[in-house]
Amino acid sequence: MTASGPREALRSLGLELPAVAAPKGVYVPARRSGNQVWTSGQLPLVGGELPATGLVGAEVDPDDAAAYARIAALNALAAVDALVGLEAVASVVKVVGFVASAPGFGGQPHVVNGASELLGAVFGSAGEHARSAIGVAALPLNAPVEVEVVVDLT
């Protein structure tokens, strides 16, 4: 955990937690199970809208997609905060990143680094996590990325 806490870390990055994105289906944004919180897949919604759509490696540049993965991770943190408060997070356990990938695109790890780097900046060493970066044919709303996060609580 950063010495000043996750909210101060977000402020130092010039970020604020957004409102929790309204579910696009029949599910909740985050669910507590024992001493963990699991988020649903979060899209890079900004003000309820996607900043880009399409396949990474075709319509979406991989560096832009990494920025969108960062936004999706921020949305996941908003879901965690709404459920238990960011101060209750002891560590990030797992991140799963889905990347809508053009045929032949193999840069999924680079894209999902956008989410991982944000979590490291917010939580310091407590933000180090296991991770999967998965290429898929399509995502909801034609989003380029989707991110899930699992955290342990204090």
Side-chain angles (χ1 to χ4, degrees):
M1 194 71 57
T2 60
S4 57
R7 288 185 195 285
E8 183 56 38
L10 285 168
R11 276 192 288 279
S12 73
L13 294 168
L15 298 172
E16 291 183 14
L17 288 176
V20 177
K24 301 294 184 191
V26 183
Y27 61 89
V28 294
R31 175 89 178 176
R32 183 175 182 161
S33 179
N35 205 38
Q36 293 186 325
V37 172
W38 294 61
T39 71
S40 294
Q42 299 293 314
L43 302 178
L45 295 168
V46 177
E49 302 291 327
L50 288 170
T53 58
L55 299 177
V56 180
E59 298 92 357
V60 179
D61 178 81
D63 289 334
D64 292 340
Y68 303 145
R70 176 183 169 112
I71 294 168
L74 186 64
N75 289 341
L77 291 181
V80 170
D81 185 59
L83 189 64
V84 298
L86 279 188
E87 295 74 17
V89 175
S91 66
V92 179
V93 176
K94 174 85 177 192
V95 171
V96 180
F98 300 94
V99 181
S101 300
F105 178 72
Q108 293 83 8
H110 166 73
V111 171
V112 181
N113 280 348
S116 295
E117 290 167 358
L118 174 71
L119 295 168
V122 171
F123 295 107
S125 62
E128 295 174 1
H129 52 270
R131 187 180 89 177
S132 299
I134 304 163
V136 298
L139 288 168
L141 307 179
N142 200 25
V145 297
E146 182 173 338
V147 173
E148 299 175 1
V149 177
V150 179
V151 298
D152 268 338
L153 304 175
T154 55

